[in-house]
mmCIF file with all atom_site columns, all heavy atoms in Angstrom:
data_model
loop_
_atom_site.group_PDB
_atom_site.id
_atom_site.type_symbol
_atom_site.label_atom_id
_atom_site.label_alt_id
_atom_site.label_comp_id
_atom_site.label_asym_id
_atom_site.label_entity_id
_atom_site.label_seq_id
_atom_site.pdbx_PDB_ins_code
_atom_site.Cartn_x
_atom_site.Cartn_y
_atom_site.Cartn_z
_atom_site.occupancy
_atom_site.B_iso_or_equiv
_atom_site.pdbx_formal_charge
_atom_site.auth_seq_id
_atom_site.auth_comp_id
_atom_site.auth_asym_id
_atom_site.auth_atom_id
_atom_site.pdbx_PDB_model_num
ATOM 1  N N   . VAL A 1 164 ? 28.781 2.488  -0.093  1.00 0.00 ? 182 VAL A N   1
ATOM 2  C CA  . VAL A 1 164 ? 30.146 2.407  -0.605  1.00 0.00 ? 182 VAL A CA  1
ATOM 3  C C   . VAL A 1 164 ? 30.142 2.203  -2.116  1.00 0.00 ? 182 VAL A C   1
ATOM 4  O O   . VAL A 1 164 ? 31.034 2.679  -2.827  1.00 0.00 ? 182 VAL A O   1
ATOM 5  C CB  . VAL A 1 164 ? 30.934 1.306  0.123   1.00 0.00 ? 182 VAL A CB  1
ATOM 6  C CG1 . VAL A 1 164 ? 32.297 1.088  -0.514  1.00 0.00 ? 182 VAL A CG1 1
ATOM 7  C CG2 . VAL A 1 164 ? 31.109 1.677  1.600   1.00 0.00 ? 182 VAL A CG2 1
ATOM 8  N N   . ALA A 1 165 ? 29.121 1.544  -2.636  1.00 0.00 ? 183 ALA A N   1
ATOM 9  C CA  . ALA A 1 165 ? 29.035 1.280  -4.077  1.00 0.00 ? 183 ALA A CA  1
ATOM 10 C C   . ALA A 1 165 ? 28.422 2.420  -4.865  1.00 0.00 ? 183 ALA A C   1
ATOM 11 O O   . ALA A 1 165 ? 28.199 2.280  -6.078  1.00 0.00 ? 183 ALA A O   1
ATOM 12 C CB  . ALA A 1 165 ? 28.218 0.014  -4.313  1.00 0.00 ? 183 ALA A CB  1
ATOM 13 N N   . SER A 1 166 ? 28.189 3.551  -4.254  1.00 0.00 ? 184 SER A N   1
ATOM 14 C CA  . SER A 1 166 ? 27.442 4.649  -4.896  1.00 0.00 ? 184 SER A CA  1
ATOM 15 C C   . SER A 1 166 ? 27.891 4.974  -6.304  1.00 0.00 ? 184 SER A C   1
ATOM 16 O O   . SER A 1 166 ? 27.083 5.169  -7.215  1.00 0.00 ? 184 SER A O   1
ATOM 17 C CB  . SER A 1 166 ? 27.545 5.920  -4.046  1.00 0.00 ? 184 SER A CB  1
ATOM 18 O OG  . SER A 1 166 ? 26.906 5.779  -2.814  1.00 0.00 ? 184 SER A OG  1
ATOM 19 N N   . ALA A 1 167 ? 29.204 5.078  -6.519  1.00 0.00 ? 185 ALA A N   1
ATOM 20 C CA  . ALA A 1 167 ? 29.723 5.510  -7.819  1.00 0.00 ? 185 ALA A CA  1
ATOM 21 C C   . ALA A 1 167 ? 29.923 4.362  -8.795  1.00 0.00 ? 185 ALA A C   1
ATOM 22 O O   . ALA A 1 167 ? 30.168 4.596  -9.985  1.00 0.00 ? 185 ALA A O   1
ATOM 23 C CB  . ALA A 1 167 ? 31.048 6.248  -7.627  1.00 0.00 ? 185 ALA A CB  1
ATOM 24 N N   . LEU A 1 168 ? 29.844 3.127  -8.325  1.00 0.00 ? 186 LEU A N   1
ATOM 25 C CA  . LEU A 1 168 ? 30.246 1.998  -9.157  1.00 0.00 ? 186 LEU A CA  1
ATOM 26 C C   . LEU A 1 168 ? 29.313 1.694  -10.326 1.00 0.00 ? 186 LEU A C   1
ATOM 27 O O   . LEU A 1 168 ? 29.767 1.131  -11.326 1.00 0.00 ? 186 LEU A O   1
ATOM 28 C CB  . LEU A 1 168 ? 30.463 0.764  -8.288  1.00 0.00 ? 186 LEU A CB  1
ATOM 29 C CG  . LEU A 1 168 ? 31.554 0.913  -7.212  1.00 0.00 ? 186 LEU A CG  1
ATOM 30 C CD1 . LEU A 1 168 ? 31.877 -0.438 -6.591  1.00 0.00 ? 186 LEU A CD1 1
ATOM 31 C CD2 . LEU A 1 168 ? 32.821 1.563  -7.766  1.00 0.00 ? 186 LEU A CD2 1
ATOM 32 N N   . PRO A 1 169 ? 28.017 2.049  -10.278 1.00 0.00 ? 187 PRO A N   1
ATOM 33 C CA  . PRO A 1 169 ? 27.207 1.870  -11.483 1.00 0.00 ? 187 PRO A CA  1
ATOM 34 C C   . PRO A 1 169 ? 27.730 2.677  -12.675 1.00 0.00 ? 187 PRO A C   1
ATOM 35 O O   . PRO A 1 169 ? 27.405 2.367  -13.822 1.00 0.00 ? 187 PRO A O   1
ATOM 36 C CB  . PRO A 1 169 ? 25.815 2.354  -11.051 1.00 0.00 ? 187 PRO A CB  1
ATOM 37 C CG  . PRO A 1 169 ? 25.794 2.174  -9.587  1.00 0.00 ? 187 PRO A CG  1
ATOM 38 C CD  . PRO A 1 169 ? 27.189 2.481  -9.137  1.00 0.00 ? 187 PRO A CD  1
ATOM 39 N N   . PHE A 1 170 ? 28.532 3.688  -12.399 1.00 0.00 ? 188 PHE A N   1
ATOM 40 C CA  . PHE A 1 170 ? 29.056 4.554  -13.439 1.00 0.00 ? 188 PHE A CA  1
ATOM 41 C C   . PHE A 1 170 ? 30.532 4.266  -13.735 1.00 0.00 ? 188 PHE A C   1
ATOM 42 O O   . PHE A 1 170 ? 31.185 5.032  -14.431 1.00 0.00 ? 188 PHE A O   1
ATOM 43 C CB  . PHE A 1 170 ? 28.892 6.016  -13.008 1.00 0.00 ? 188 PHE A CB  1
ATOM 44 C CG  . PHE A 1 170 ? 27.490 6.356  -12.570 1.00 0.00 ? 188 PHE A CG  1
ATOM 45 C CD1 . PHE A 1 170 ? 27.136 6.329  -11.221 1.00 0.00 ? 188 PHE A CD1 1
ATOM 46 C CD2 . PHE A 1 170 ? 26.509 6.679  -13.489 1.00 0.00 ? 188 PHE A CD2 1
ATOM 47 C CE1 . PHE A 1 170 ? 25.851 6.633  -10.812 1.00 0.00 ? 188 PHE A CE1 1
ATOM 48 C CE2 . PHE A 1 170 ? 25.218 6.975  -13.100 1.00 0.00 ? 188 PHE A CE2 1
ATOM 49 C CZ  . PHE A 1 170 ? 24.883 6.949  -11.756 1.00 0.00 ? 188 PHE A CZ  1
ATOM 50 N N   . ALA A 1 171 ? 31.051 3.150  -13.195 1.00 0.00 ? 189 ALA A N   1
ATOM 51 C CA  . ALA A 1 171 ? 32.486 2.872  -13.279 1.00 0.00 ? 189 ALA A CA  1
ATOM 52 C C   . ALA A 1 171 ? 32.971 2.760  -14.717 1.00 0.00 ? 189 ALA A C   1
ATOM 53 O O   . ALA A 1 171 ? 34.008 3.330  -15.078 1.00 0.00 ? 189 ALA A O   1
ATOM 54 C CB  . ALA A 1 171 ? 32.817 1.606  -12.503 1.00 0.00 ? 189 ALA A CB  1
ATOM 55 N N   . ALA A 1 172 ? 32.242 2.025  -15.545 1.00 0.00 ? 190 ALA A N   1
ATOM 56 C CA  . ALA A 1 172 ? 32.691 1.824  -16.923 1.00 0.00 ? 190 ALA A CA  1
ATOM 57 C C   . ALA A 1 172 ? 32.664 3.142  -17.696 1.00 0.00 ? 190 ALA A C   1
ATOM 58 O O   . ALA A 1 172 ? 33.625 3.502  -18.379 1.00 0.00 ? 190 ALA A O   1
ATOM 59 C CB  . ALA A 1 172 ? 31.824 0.778  -17.615 1.00 0.00 ? 190 ALA A CB  1
ATOM 60 N N   . GLN A 1 173 ? 31.575 3.893  -17.571 1.00 0.00 ? 191 GLN A N   1
ATOM 61 C CA  . GLN A 1 173 ? 31.451 5.152  -18.304 1.00 0.00 ? 191 GLN A CA  1
ATOM 62 C C   . GLN A 1 173 ? 32.469 6.164  -17.843 1.00 0.00 ? 191 GLN A C   1
ATOM 63 O O   . GLN A 1 173 ? 33.002 6.946  -18.637 1.00 0.00 ? 191 GLN A O   1
ATOM 64 C CB  . GLN A 1 173 ? 30.030 5.699  -18.142 1.00 0.00 ? 191 GLN A CB  1
ATOM 65 C CG  . GLN A 1 173 ? 29.736 6.912  -19.013 1.00 0.00 ? 191 GLN A CG  1
ATOM 66 C CD  . GLN A 1 173 ? 28.303 7.404  -18.846 1.00 0.00 ? 191 GLN A CD  1
ATOM 67 O OE1 . GLN A 1 173 ? 27.501 6.778  -18.138 1.00 0.00 ? 191 GLN A OE1 1
ATOM 68 N NE2 . GLN A 1 173 ? 27.973 8.501  -19.489 1.00 0.00 ? 191 GLN A NE2 1
ATOM 69 N N   . ALA A 1 174 ? 32.768 6.166  -16.557 1.00 0.00 ? 192 ALA A N   1
ATOM 70 C CA  . ALA A 1 174 ? 33.723 7.133  -16.010 1.00 0.00 ? 192 ALA A CA  1
ATOM 71 C C   . ALA A 1 174 ? 35.165 6.655  -16.130 1.00 0.00 ? 192 ALA A C   1
ATOM 72 O O   . ALA A 1 174 ? 36.088 7.436  -15.915 1.00 0.00 ? 192 ALA A O   1
ATOM 73 C CB  . ALA A 1 174 ? 33.395 7.407  -14.543 1.00 0.00 ? 192 ALA A CB  1
#
Side-chain angles (χ1 to χ4, degrees):
V182 173
S184 294
L186 300 191
F188 309 96
Q191 188 179 355

